[in-house]
Amino acid sequence: MSLQPDHFGRFILENTALSAPPHVPETRLHLADEAHELWLKTEEELAEIGLPPPFWAFAWAGGQGLARYVVDNAGMVRGRDVLDFATGSGLVGIAAAMAGAAGVLCADIDPFCAEAVRLNAAANGVAVAFTAEDLVGRDFGWDVVLAGDVFYDQAFAGRLVPWFEALGRRGATVLVGDPGRSYLPGERLEKLAVYQVPVTRALEDAEVKKTTVWRFV
């Protein structure tokens, strides 16, 4: 059996619950936990139903830290056009919308994220746009680019660094939330804030992850 796009929303609602990410309790997201069958499925079982790894179903440390920073420093995004890159659940983009961004585009190539972002934005009473396009290397004039938990893979990091550099040279503010992923380009970053973010041990092998918000320079 393979899930069809018109079933994605129902699947999300049946396999998650509306709950508050612990570090950004002002928000509500449709998240999976130990009580949901989705939590227990193996990669093979997910592949059988046509589901990529459901990163959208969890509030990752980097995204929580970045969303917290945006909510607490609303002036970074207020009245500005924002891209939430690799959005997953949409948490960071939702935080930007709540903080008064003029417009928010959430981007993720996972086809499930369109419905996850739509449902989560509605749950928080905000409007955001979504694209499934791969935007790496492209520039549509965003004022602020937000990226949580993106430096987990060497090849992907190799694509992101020159893109972020180009956006920064053009004048965009690029903010990264990261709990110490392996391929974080530390020499290109300016530390803005550090948080202790509660996470799920099954995902992060810890109950709390030290998470830093960086400005790409």
Short mmCIF file of all heavy atoms in Angstrom, two decimals, residues 98-164:
data_model
loop_
_atom_site.label_atom_id
_atom_site.label_comp_id
_atom_site.label_asym_id
_atom_site.label_seq_id
_atom_site.Cartn_x
_atom_site.Cartn_y
_atom_site.Cartn_z
N MET A 98 4.23 34.40 13.81
CA MET A 98 3.73 34.88 15.09
C MET A 98 4.48 36.14 15.53
O MET A 98 3.92 36.99 16.22
CB MET A 98 3.86 33.78 16.14
CG MET A 98 2.95 32.59 15.90
SD MET A 98 3.28 31.20 17.03
CE MET A 98 2.82 31.91 18.60
N ALA A 99 5.74 36.25 15.13
CA ALA A 99 6.57 37.39 15.51
C ALA A 99 6.35 38.59 14.60
O ALA A 99 7.00 39.62 14.78
CB ALA A 99 8.04 36.99 15.52
N GLY A 100 5.49 38.47 13.60
CA GLY A 100 5.14 39.62 12.78
C GLY A 100 5.82 39.73 11.45
O GLY A 100 5.86 40.82 10.85
N ALA A 101 6.37 38.62 10.92
CA ALA A 101 6.97 38.66 9.59
C ALA A 101 5.94 39.11 8.56
O ALA A 101 4.75 38.78 8.65
CB ALA A 101 7.52 37.29 9.22
N ALA A 102 6.41 39.86 7.56
CA ALA A 102 5.50 40.32 6.50
C ALA A 102 4.99 39.16 5.67
O ALA A 102 3.85 39.15 5.21
CB ALA A 102 6.22 41.33 5.62
N GLY A 103 5.85 38.18 5.45
CA GLY A 103 5.48 36.99 4.70
C GLY A 103 6.44 35.88 5.04
O GLY A 103 7.62 36.13 5.28
N VAL A 104 5.94 34.65 5.08
CA VAL A 104 6.77 33.49 5.42
C VAL A 104 6.56 32.42 4.36
O VAL A 104 5.43 32.03 4.05
CB VAL A 104 6.41 32.91 6.80
CG1 VAL A 104 7.24 31.66 7.08
CG2 VAL A 104 6.62 33.95 7.90
N LEU A 105 7.68 31.94 3.80
CA LEU A 105 7.67 30.80 2.89
C LEU A 105 8.36 29.64 3.59
O LEU A 105 9.54 29.73 3.94
CB LEU A 105 8.39 31.13 1.59
CG LEU A 105 8.53 29.97 0.59
CD1 LEU A 105 7.15 29.48 0.13
CD2 LEU A 105 9.39 30.37 -0.59
N CYS A 106 7.63 28.55 3.79
CA CYS A 106 8.21 27.33 4.36
C CYS A 106 8.56 26.40 3.20
O CYS A 106 7.72 26.15 2.33
CB CYS A 106 7.21 26.65 5.28
SG CYS A 106 6.80 27.59 6.77
N ALA A 107 9.78 25.89 3.20
CA ALA A 107 10.25 25.06 2.08
C ALA A 107 10.76 23.72 2.59
O ALA A 107 11.54 23.67 3.55
CB ALA A 107 11.35 25.79 1.32
N ASP A 108 10.33 22.65 1.93
CA ASP A 108 10.83 21.31 2.25
C ASP A 108 10.50 20.40 1.08
O ASP A 108 9.39 20.47 0.53
CB ASP A 108 10.19 20.79 3.53
CG ASP A 108 11.06 19.73 4.21
OD1 ASP A 108 11.30 18.66 3.59
OD2 ASP A 108 11.51 19.97 5.34
N ILE A 109 11.43 19.53 0.72
CA ILE A 109 11.19 18.64 -0.42
C ILE A 109 10.38 17.40 -0.03
O ILE A 109 9.95 16.66 -0.91
CB ILE A 109 12.52 18.21 -1.08
CG1 ILE A 109 13.42 17.45 -0.10
CG2 ILE A 109 13.25 19.43 -1.66
CD1 ILE A 109 14.67 16.85 -0.74
N ASP A 110 10.18 17.15 1.26
CA ASP A 110 9.35 16.04 1.71
C ASP A 110 7.89 16.35 1.36
O ASP A 110 7.34 17.35 1.83
CB ASP A 110 9.50 15.85 3.22
CG ASP A 110 8.73 14.66 3.75
OD1 ASP A 110 7.75 14.22 3.11
OD2 ASP A 110 9.08 14.17 4.84
N PRO A 111 7.23 15.51 0.56
CA PRO A 111 5.87 15.83 0.13
C PRO A 111 4.86 15.88 1.28
O PRO A 111 3.80 16.51 1.14
CB PRO A 111 5.53 14.72 -0.87
CG PRO A 111 6.45 13.59 -0.51
CD PRO A 111 7.71 14.24 -0.03
N PHE A 112 5.15 15.22 2.40
CA PHE A 112 4.24 15.27 3.54
C PHE A 112 4.25 16.62 4.23
O PHE A 112 3.30 16.99 4.92
CB PHE A 112 4.61 14.20 4.56
CG PHE A 112 4.01 12.85 4.27
CD1 PHE A 112 4.57 12.04 3.30
CD2 PHE A 112 2.89 12.40 4.94
CE1 PHE A 112 4.03 10.80 3.01
CE2 PHE A 112 2.35 11.17 4.66
CZ PHE A 112 2.91 10.36 3.69
N CYS A 113 5.32 17.39 4.05
CA CYS A 113 5.46 18.63 4.81
C CYS A 113 4.42 19.67 4.42
O CYS A 113 4.04 20.50 5.25
CB CYS A 113 6.87 19.19 4.64
SG CYS A 113 8.13 18.22 5.49
N ALA A 114 3.95 19.63 3.19
CA ALA A 114 2.93 20.59 2.78
C ALA A 114 1.71 20.50 3.68
O ALA A 114 1.20 21.52 4.17
CB ALA A 114 2.54 20.37 1.32
N GLU A 115 1.24 19.27 3.92
CA GLU A 115 0.08 19.10 4.79
C GLU A 115 0.43 19.34 6.24
O GLU A 115 -0.38 19.91 6.99
CB GLU A 115 -0.51 17.69 4.63
CG GLU A 115 -1.46 17.56 3.46
CD GLU A 115 -2.67 18.47 3.62
OE1 GLU A 115 -3.43 18.31 4.59
OE2 GLU A 115 -2.85 19.36 2.76
N ALA A 116 1.61 18.90 6.68
CA ALA A 116 2.01 19.14 8.07
C ALA A 116 2.08 20.63 8.36
O ALA A 116 1.58 21.10 9.40
CB ALA A 116 3.36 18.48 8.35
N VAL A 117 2.68 21.39 7.46
CA VAL A 117 2.78 22.84 7.65
C VAL A 117 1.39 23.48 7.62
O VAL A 117 1.08 24.36 8.44
CB VAL A 117 3.71 23.46 6.59
CG1 VAL A 117 3.61 24.98 6.61
CG2 VAL A 117 5.15 23.01 6.83
N ARG A 118 0.54 23.05 6.70
CA ARG A 118 -0.81 23.63 6.61
C ARG A 118 -1.58 23.40 7.91
O ARG A 118 -2.18 24.34 8.46
CB ARG A 118 -1.57 23.00 5.44
CG ARG A 118 -2.96 23.61 5.23
CD ARG A 118 -3.74 22.86 4.15
NE ARG A 118 -4.08 21.51 4.55
CZ ARG A 118 -5.12 21.21 5.35
NH1 ARG A 118 -5.88 22.18 5.84
NH2 ARG A 118 -5.38 19.95 5.65
N LEU A 119 -1.54 22.17 8.41
CA LEU A 119 -2.26 21.84 9.63
C LEU A 119 -1.69 22.59 10.84
O LEU A 119 -2.43 23.10 11.69
CB LEU A 119 -2.22 20.33 9.88
CG LEU A 119 -3.03 19.48 8.91
CD1 LEU A 119 -2.66 18.01 9.05
CD2 LEU A 119 -4.53 19.67 9.14
N ASN A 120 -0.36 22.66 10.91
CA ASN A 120 0.26 23.32 12.06
C ASN A 120 0.05 24.83 12.02
O ASN A 120 -0.17 25.46 13.06
CB ASN A 120 1.75 22.97 12.11
CG ASN A 120 1.98 21.53 12.50
OD1 ASN A 120 1.18 20.93 13.22
ND2 ASN A 120 3.08 20.95 12.04
N ALA A 121 0.12 25.42 10.84
CA ALA A 121 -0.13 26.86 10.74
C ALA A 121 -1.56 27.17 11.16
O ALA A 121 -1.82 28.14 11.90
CB ALA A 121 0.14 27.34 9.33
N ALA A 122 -2.50 26.36 10.71
CA ALA A 122 -3.90 26.57 11.09
C ALA A 122 -4.09 26.44 12.59
O ALA A 122 -4.85 27.21 13.20
CB ALA A 122 -4.80 25.58 10.34
N ALA A 123 -3.40 25.49 13.20
CA ALA A 123 -3.52 25.29 14.64
C ALA A 123 -3.01 26.48 15.43
O ALA A 123 -3.42 26.69 16.58
CB ALA A 123 -2.76 24.02 15.06
N ASN A 124 -2.13 27.26 14.82
CA ASN A 124 -1.56 28.43 15.49
C ASN A 124 -2.15 29.74 14.99
O ASN A 124 -1.70 30.82 15.40
CB ASN A 124 -0.04 28.43 15.31
CG ASN A 124 0.62 27.34 16.13
OD1 ASN A 124 0.86 27.49 17.32
ND2 ASN A 124 0.91 26.20 15.49
N GLY A 125 -3.12 29.66 14.10
CA GLY A 125 -3.81 30.85 13.63
C GLY A 125 -2.95 31.79 12.82
O GLY A 125 -3.16 33.01 12.85
N VAL A 126 -1.99 31.24 12.08
CA VAL A 126 -1.13 32.08 11.24
C VAL A 126 -1.19 31.59 9.80
O VAL A 126 -1.57 30.44 9.53
CB VAL A 126 0.33 32.10 11.73
CG1 VAL A 126 0.42 32.69 13.13
CG2 VAL A 126 0.95 30.70 11.68
N ALA A 127 -0.79 32.46 8.88
CA ALA A 127 -0.75 32.12 7.46
C ALA A 127 0.69 32.06 6.99
O ALA A 127 1.47 33.00 7.21
CB ALA A 127 -1.53 33.15 6.65
N VAL A 128 1.07 30.95 6.38
CA VAL A 128 2.39 30.81 5.76
C VAL A 128 2.20 30.15 4.41
O VAL A 128 1.23 29.42 4.18
CB VAL A 128 3.36 29.97 6.63
CG1 VAL A 128 3.56 30.59 8.00
CG2 VAL A 128 2.87 28.53 6.76
N ALA A 129 3.12 30.41 3.50
CA ALA A 129 3.13 29.73 2.20
C ALA A 129 4.05 28.53 2.28
O ALA A 129 4.88 28.41 3.20
CB ALA A 129 3.59 30.70 1.12
N PHE A 130 3.93 27.63 1.32
CA PHE A 130 4.76 26.42 1.29
C PHE A 130 5.21 26.14 -0.13
O PHE A 130 4.46 26.34 -1.09
CB PHE A 130 3.98 25.21 1.82
CG PHE A 130 4.80 23.95 1.79
CD1 PHE A 130 5.65 23.63 2.83
CD2 PHE A 130 4.72 23.09 0.69
CE1 PHE A 130 6.43 22.49 2.77
CE2 PHE A 130 5.50 21.94 0.64
CZ PHE A 130 6.36 21.64 1.68
N THR A 131 6.45 25.65 -0.25
CA THR A 131 6.94 25.13 -1.52
C THR A 131 7.70 23.84 -1.30
O THR A 131 8.42 23.70 -0.30
CB THR A 131 7.84 26.15 -2.24
OG1 THR A 131 8.26 25.57 -3.51
CG2 THR A 131 9.07 26.49 -1.43
N ALA A 132 7.55 22.91 -2.23
CA ALA A 132 8.30 21.67 -2.19
C ALA A 132 9.52 21.72 -3.13
O ALA A 132 10.22 20.73 -3.30
CB ALA A 132 7.41 20.49 -2.59
N GLU A 133 9.78 22.89 -3.71
CA GLU A 133 10.94 23.04 -4.59
C GLU A 133 12.23 22.97 -3.79
O GLU A 133 12.29 23.41 -2.64
CB GLU A 133 10.88 24.38 -5.31
CG GLU A 133 9.81 24.51 -6.35
CD GLU A 133 9.94 25.82 -7.09
OE1 GLU A 133 10.95 26.01 -7.79
OE2 GLU A 133 9.04 26.66 -6.95
N ASP A 134 13.28 22.46 -4.41
CA ASP A 134 14.63 22.53 -3.84
C ASP A 134 15.17 23.93 -4.11
O ASP A 134 15.51 24.27 -5.24
CB ASP A 134 15.52 21.47 -4.48
CG ASP A 134 16.93 21.46 -3.91
OD1 ASP A 134 17.26 22.34 -3.08
OD2 ASP A 134 17.71 20.58 -4.30
N LEU A 135 15.24 24.75 -3.10
CA LEU A 135 15.62 26.15 -3.27
C LEU A 135 17.11 26.40 -3.14
O LEU A 135 17.56 27.54 -3.31
CB LEU A 135 14.88 27.02 -2.24
CG LEU A 135 13.36 27.09 -2.38
CD1 LEU A 135 12.77 27.99 -1.29
CD2 LEU A 135 12.95 27.59 -3.75
N VAL A 136 17.88 25.39 -2.84
CA VAL A 136 19.32 25.59 -2.65
C VAL A 136 19.92 26.20 -3.91
O VAL A 136 19.73 25.71 -5.03
CB VAL A 136 20.04 24.28 -2.30
CG1 VAL A 136 21.55 24.52 -2.18
CG2 VAL A 136 19.49 23.70 -1.01
N GLY A 137 20.64 27.30 -3.73
CA GLY A 137 21.26 28.01 -4.84
C GLY A 137 20.38 29.07 -5.47
O GLY A 137 20.83 29.80 -6.36
N ARG A 138 19.14 29.19 -5.00
CA ARG A 138 18.22 30.16 -5.58
C ARG A 138 18.01 31.33 -4.61
O ARG A 138 18.25 31.20 -3.41
CB ARG A 138 16.89 29.48 -5.91
CG ARG A 138 17.08 28.27 -6.80
CD ARG A 138 15.79 27.58 -7.12
NE ARG A 138 14.97 28.37 -8.05
CZ ARG A 138 13.77 27.99 -8.47
NH1 ARG A 138 13.24 26.86 -8.03
NH2 ARG A 138 13.09 28.74 -9.33
N ASP A 139 17.56 32.44 -5.13
CA ASP A 139 17.39 33.64 -4.30
C ASP A 139 16.20 34.44 -4.82
O ASP A 139 16.23 34.96 -5.93
CB ASP A 139 18.66 34.49 -4.33
CG ASP A 139 18.61 35.68 -3.39
OD1 ASP A 139 17.53 35.95 -2.81
OD2 ASP A 139 19.65 36.35 -3.24
N PHE A 140 15.16 34.50 -4.00
CA PHE A 140 13.97 35.25 -4.35
C PHE A 140 13.81 36.50 -3.49
O PHE A 140 12.71 36.99 -3.30
CB PHE A 140 12.73 34.36 -4.27
CG PHE A 140 12.71 33.28 -5.32
CD1 PHE A 140 13.12 31.99 -5.01
CD2 PHE A 140 12.32 33.55 -6.62
CE1 PHE A 140 13.13 31.00 -5.98
CE2 PHE A 140 12.32 32.57 -7.59
CZ PHE A 140 12.74 31.28 -7.28
N GLY A 141 14.93 36.98 -2.97
CA GLY A 141 14.93 38.25 -2.28
C GLY A 141 14.49 38.23 -0.84
O GLY A 141 14.13 39.27 -0.29
N TRP A 142 14.55 37.07 -0.20
CA TRP A 142 14.15 37.01 1.21
C TRP A 142 15.03 37.94 2.04
O TRP A 142 16.24 38.03 1.83
CB TRP A 142 14.27 35.59 1.74
CG TRP A 142 13.60 34.57 0.87
CD1 TRP A 142 12.26 34.38 0.69
CD2 TRP A 142 14.25 33.60 0.04
NE1 TRP A 142 12.03 33.36 -0.19
CE2 TRP A 142 13.23 32.87 -0.61
CE3 TRP A 142 15.59 33.27 -0.22
CZ2 TRP A 142 13.52 31.83 -1.49
CZ3 TRP A 142 15.86 32.26 -1.10
CH2 TRP A 142 14.83 31.54 -1.73
N ASP A 143 14.43 38.56 3.05
CA ASP A 143 15.20 39.38 3.98
C ASP A 143 15.90 38.52 5.03
O ASP A 143 17.01 38.83 5.46
CB ASP A 143 14.27 40.37 4.71
CG ASP A 143 13.56 41.30 3.76
OD1 ASP A 143 14.24 41.94 2.93
OD2 ASP A 143 12.32 41.40 3.83
N VAL A 144 15.23 37.46 5.45
CA VAL A 144 15.74 36.57 6.50
C VAL A 144 15.58 35.13 6.04
O VAL A 144 14.50 34.75 5.55
CB VAL A 144 15.00 36.78 7.83
CG1 VAL A 144 15.57 35.86 8.92
CG2 VAL A 144 15.08 38.24 8.28
N VAL A 145 16.63 34.34 6.20
CA VAL A 145 16.57 32.90 5.92
C VAL A 145 16.84 32.17 7.23
O VAL A 145 17.87 32.41 7.89
CB VAL A 145 17.58 32.49 4.85
CG1 VAL A 145 17.59 30.97 4.66
CG2 VAL A 145 17.27 33.20 3.53
N LEU A 146 15.92 31.29 7.63
CA LEU A 146 16.01 30.53 8.86
C LEU A 146 16.21 29.06 8.53
O LEU A 146 15.51 28.52 7.67
CB LEU A 146 14.72 30.70 9.68
CG LEU A 146 14.32 32.15 9.99
CD1 LEU A 146 12.92 32.19 10.61
CD2 LEU A 146 15.34 32.80 10.91
N ALA A 147 17.17 28.42 9.20
CA ALA A 147 17.48 27.02 8.89
C ALA A 147 17.81 26.28 10.17
O ALA A 147 18.84 26.54 10.81
CB ALA A 147 18.66 26.94 7.91
N GLY A 148 16.94 25.36 10.58
CA GLY A 148 17.17 24.56 11.77
C GLY A 148 17.59 23.15 11.43
O GLY A 148 16.98 22.51 10.58
N ASP A 149 18.65 22.67 12.09
CA ASP A 149 19.08 21.27 11.94
C ASP A 149 19.37 20.88 10.50
O ASP A 149 18.86 19.87 10.00
CB ASP A 149 18.01 20.32 12.51
CG ASP A 149 18.07 20.22 14.02
OD1 ASP A 149 19.11 19.82 14.55
OD2 ASP A 149 17.07 20.55 14.68
N VAL A 150 20.19 21.66 9.81
CA VAL A 150 20.45 21.35 8.40
C VAL A 150 21.86 20.80 8.14
O VAL A 150 22.13 20.33 7.03
CB VAL A 150 20.22 22.59 7.51
CG1 VAL A 150 18.75 22.97 7.51
CG2 VAL A 150 21.07 23.77 7.94
N PHE A 151 22.74 20.82 9.14
CA PHE A 151 24.13 20.41 8.88
C PHE A 151 24.42 19.01 9.40
O PHE A 151 25.43 18.76 10.05
CB PHE A 151 25.09 21.44 9.51
CG PHE A 151 25.10 22.75 8.77
CD1 PHE A 151 24.50 23.87 9.30
CD2 PHE A 151 25.69 22.84 7.52
CE1 PHE A 151 24.50 25.08 8.62
CE2 PHE A 151 25.69 24.04 6.81
CZ PHE A 151 25.10 25.16 7.37
N TYR A 152 23.55 18.07 9.05
CA TYR A 152 23.67 16.69 9.50
C TYR A 152 24.35 15.80 8.48
O TYR A 152 24.71 14.66 8.78
CB TYR A 152 22.27 16.13 9.83
CG TYR A 152 21.31 16.27 8.68
CD1 TYR A 152 21.25 15.31 7.67
CD2 TYR A 152 20.46 17.38 8.58
CE1 TYR A 152 20.39 15.45 6.59
CE2 TYR A 152 19.60 17.53 7.51
CZ TYR A 152 19.57 16.57 6.52
OH TYR A 152 18.72 16.72 5.45
N ASP A 153 24.51 16.27 7.25
CA ASP A 153 25.04 15.44 6.16
C ASP A 153 26.13 16.23 5.43
O ASP A 153 25.93 17.40 5.11
CB ASP A 153 23.90 15.08 5.20
CG ASP A 153 24.38 14.33 3.99
OD1 ASP A 153 24.53 13.10 4.08
OD2 ASP A 153 24.61 14.98 2.94
N GLN A 154 27.25 15.59 5.15
CA GLN A 154 28.39 16.29 4.57
C GLN A 154 28.08 16.85 3.19
O GLN A 154 28.39 18.01 2.89
CB GLN A 154 29.60 15.36 4.50
CG GLN A 154 30.87 16.07 4.06
CD GLN A 154 32.09 15.16 4.16
OE1 GLN A 154 31.98 13.93 4.20
NE2 GLN A 154 33.27 15.76 4.21
N ALA A 155 27.47 16.04 2.34
CA ALA A 155 27.18 16.50 0.98
C ALA A 155 26.18 17.65 1.00
O ALA A 155 26.33 18.64 0.27
CB ALA A 155 26.66 15.34 0.14
N PHE A 156 25.17 17.54 1.84
CA PHE A 156 24.16 18.59 1.93
C PHE A 156 24.79 19.88 2.47
O PHE A 156 24.54 20.97 1.95
CB PHE A 156 23.03 18.13 2.84
CG PHE A 156 21.80 19.00 2.80
CD1 PHE A 156 21.31 19.49 1.60
CD2 PHE A 156 21.13 19.31 3.97
CE1 PHE A 156 20.16 20.28 1.56
CE2 PHE A 156 19.98 20.10 3.94
CZ PHE A 156 19.50 20.59 2.75
N ALA A 157 25.62 19.75 3.49
CA ALA A 157 26.31 20.93 4.03
C ALA A 157 27.16 21.59 2.96
O ALA A 157 27.25 22.82 2.89
CB ALA A 157 27.17 20.53 5.23
N GLY A 158 27.78 20.78 2.10
CA GLY A 158 28.60 21.33 1.03
C GLY A 158 27.80 22.15 0.04
O GLY A 158 28.34 23.08 -0.59
N ARG A 159 26.52 21.84 -0.12
CA ARG A 159 25.64 22.65 -0.98
C ARG A 159 25.18 23.91 -0.27
O ARG A 159 25.01 24.96 -0.90
CB ARG A 159 24.42 21.83 -1.40
CG ARG A 159 24.69 20.62 -2.27
CD ARG A 159 23.38 19.94 -2.64
NE ARG A 159 22.54 20.82 -3.46
CZ ARG A 159 21.22 20.75 -3.50
NH1 ARG A 159 20.55 19.90 -2.74
NH2 ARG A 159 20.53 21.57 -4.28
N LEU A 160 24.95 23.80 1.04
CA LEU A 160 24.37 24.92 1.77
C LEU A 160 25.35 26.06 1.99
O LEU A 160 24.96 27.24 1.91
CB LEU A 160 23.85 24.44 3.13
CG LEU A 160 22.68 23.47 3.12
CD1 LEU A 160 22.26 23.15 4.55
CD2 LEU A 160 21.51 24.04 2.33
N VAL A 161 26.60 25.75 2.29
CA VAL A 161 27.54 26.80 2.66
C VAL A 161 27.69 27.87 1.57
O VAL A 161 27.54 29.07 1.85
CB VAL A 161 28.90 26.20 3.07
CG1 VAL A 161 29.96 27.30 3.21
CG2 VAL A 161 28.77 25.44 4.38
N PRO A 162 27.95 27.51 0.31
CA PRO A 162 28.07 28.58 -0.69
C PRO A 162 26.75 29.31 -0.93
O PRO A 162 26.76 30.51 -1.25
CB PRO A 162 28.53 27.83 -1.96
CG PRO A 162 28.21 26.40 -1.72
CD PRO A 162 28.30 26.19 -0.25
N TRP A 163 25.63 28.63 -0.78
CA TRP A 163 24.33 29.30 -0.93
C TRP A 163 24.12 30.33 0.18
O TRP A 163 23.77 31.48 -0.09
CB TRP A 163 23.23 28.26 -0.90
CG TRP A 163 21.84 28.81 -1.09
CD1 TRP A 163 21.45 29.76 -1.98
CD2 TRP A 163 20.67 28.41 -0.38
NE1 TRP A 163 20.09 29.99 -1.87
CE2 TRP A 163 19.59 29.18 -0.89
CE3 TRP A 163 20.42 27.48 0.62
CZ2 TRP A 163 18.29 29.04 -0.41
CZ3 TRP A 163 19.13 27.34 1.09
CH2 TRP A 163 18.08 28.11 0.58
N PHE A 164 24.38 29.92 1.41
CA PHE A 164 24.24 30.85 2.53
C PHE A 164 25.21 32.03 2.39
O PHE A 164 24.88 33.17 2.70
CB PHE A 164 24.46 30.13 3.85
CG PHE A 164 23.34 29.22 4.28
CD1 PHE A 164 23.50 28.36 5.35
CD2 PHE A 164 22.12 29.22 3.61
CE1 PHE A 164 22.47 27.52 5.76
CE2 PHE A 164 21.08 28.37 4.00
CZ PHE A 164 21.26 27.52 5.09
#
